Amino acid sequence: MESLVTSLIGPIAALAAALFWALATLLYSQAGSFLSASQLNLVKGVIACPLLLLAGWFTGQLVALEGNAATYLLLASGVIGITLGDTLYFSALRRLGPWHTMLLEYLAPPFAALLAWILLSQGMRGYEILAALVIIFGIFMVISEKPRHAERVALSASGIAAGVGAALCQALGLVMSFHALQEFDMNPLNAALLRLLAGTVALTIALLVLRPSLIGTTRAALRHTSIPWLLTAIVMGTFLAIWLQQTAIAYINPGLAQTLLATAPLWLIPIQWLRGQALSARSITGALIAVAGISLLFGIQ
């Protein structure tokens, strides 16, 4: 019984993180933020880092920082996945628009599986590969349905490169974090804190060097933002989600974890329905296929 519960912790944590990311996406739009992408990224880190620190202190999971390989791996993964990866993602968003950028983001699961296999000799079992393929196919059906109101955006080589680079950075950061959690004495909460702290510090330094004016105008931008909505989004989408993400990769293969983390669009379907929005047959079919893949995964655990 204990082994069964342990085997379910990783998948459940990944799905919960995806749910919180989906909810945070809606909350950010409700906040009506005037923050730029980099400003929002900075504010998220500044608020979520102390929350993770307090959570570690209250739960007794906070440990002293040591200069070991796990610490350096997690710090590097934060810079790669959060600072560089998010920057490339926002760059792709400006060049390609949200639809094509979202499609390129789904290169992250196969990238994570491939990197884990090459760098760590961590292969996925046959049923995990099958379940992951079914889940990805279902998600792809949902997100590949281009909205009718979507604008036509010319594909640029720089935009595609940024989108692919963002997916690669996300996957590499996840694999590095997985290795740190598997090989060294590090709990998921401390891993989440180190990654977010490294990403936030690196972003702050980059802004101070490249665009110092953005830091100065952040306070003014916050005056036009709904702070309660913004704080709720950060608590869900950054504080809780990154903690759950690190918990997931402490228990399951990076490729499988990245696949389950990518299910955020599926959670938006029932949310849209509850808000009275019409659902297409394609999105419902895709969601059911993805759920079948998730059920296959849980059914064989």
Side-chain angles (χ1 to χ4, degrees):
M1 182 65 180
E2 184 178 351
S3 61
L4 175 62
V5 173
T6 301
S7 67
L8 295 177
I9 291 176
I12 291 174
L15 291 171
L19 170 60
F20 283 129
W21 276 325
L23 291 171
T25 299
L26 296 176
L27 291 171
Y28 281 128
S29 64
Q30 291 292 325
S33 178
F34 283 77
L35 297 165
S36 69
S38 54
Q39 286 174 321
L40 179 57
N41 204 8
L42 182 63
V43 170
K44 282 161 53 181
V46 168
I47 293 174
C49 280
L51 291 177
L52 285 168
L53 192 64
L54 287 172
W57 183 71
F58 278 115
T59 60
Q61 297 184 55
L62 201 63
V63 297
L65 187 64
E66 298 179 5
N68 55 19
T71 299
Y72 296 128
L73 269 174
L74 289 166
L75 291 173
S77 73
V79 174
I80 292 172
I82 296 174
T83 306
L84 184 57
D86 285 355
T87 300
L88 288 171
Y89 177 82
F90 293 134
S91 178
L93 202 60
R94 287 195 302 270
R95 290 171 168 81
L96 302 178
W99 186 66
H100 288 105
T101 303
M102 189 165 26
L103 290 179
L104 288 173
E105 187 181 2
Y106 282 86
L107 291 171
F111 277 160
L114 186 62
L115 287 169
W117 177 58
I118 294 174
L119 300 177
L120 306 178
S121 299
Q122 286 281 341
M124 294 172 64
R125 289 168 285 188
Y127 76 87
E128 291 177 335
I129 295 174
L130 176 60
L133 289 174
V134 173
I135 294 169
I136 291 174
F137 178 71
I139 297 171
F140 184 79
M141 280 193 66
V142 174
I143 66 171
S144 61
E145 182 180 24
K146 191 171 184 178
R148 294 178 181 177
H149 61 273
E151 298 180 359
R152 291 184 176 273
V153 179
L155 294 179
S156 66
S158 61
I160 293 174
V164 174
L168 183 59
C169 286
Q170 184 180 2
L172 181 57
L174 199 74
V175 170
M176 293 170 69
S177 183
F178 171 81
H179 182 60
L181 287 166
Q182 293 292 320
E183 298 297 323
F184 303 96
D185 185 19
M186 179 71 66
N187 63 59
L189 189 145
N190 281 271
L193 176 59
L194 283 174
R195 290 195 74 206
L196 189 59
L197 185 62
T200 303
V201 170
L203 178 62
T204 302
I205 294 172
L207 289 177
L208 286 172
V209 173
L210 300 175
R211 298 192 66 183
S213 60
L214 279 179
I215 295 181
T217 57
T218 299
R219 180 178 296 180
L222 284 170
R223 296 194 188 103
H224 303 282
T225 303
S226 174
I227 301 301
W229 286 116
L230 180 63
L231 288 176
T232 306
I234 291 173
V235 169
M236 286 188 174
T238 305
F239 166 60
L240 291 174
I242 195 171
W243 188 356
L244 287 165
Q245 178 204 55
Q246 296 304 123
T247 301
I249 62 176
Y251 288 91
I252 54 178
N253 179 280
L256 185 59
Q258 188 67 70
T259 300
L260 294 175
L261 290 167
T263 59
L266 300 182
W267 292 107
L268 292 176
I269 293 176
I271 294 172
Q272 288 174 335
W273 179 74
L274 289 172
R275 297 175 71 186
Q277 298 182 20
L279 303 177
S280 68
R282 182 189 180 96
S283 64
I284 294 173
T285 303
L288 290 175
I289 291 173
V291 169
I294 296 170
S295 300
L296 174 65
L297 175 66
F298 278 88
I300 310 179
Q301 290 289 337

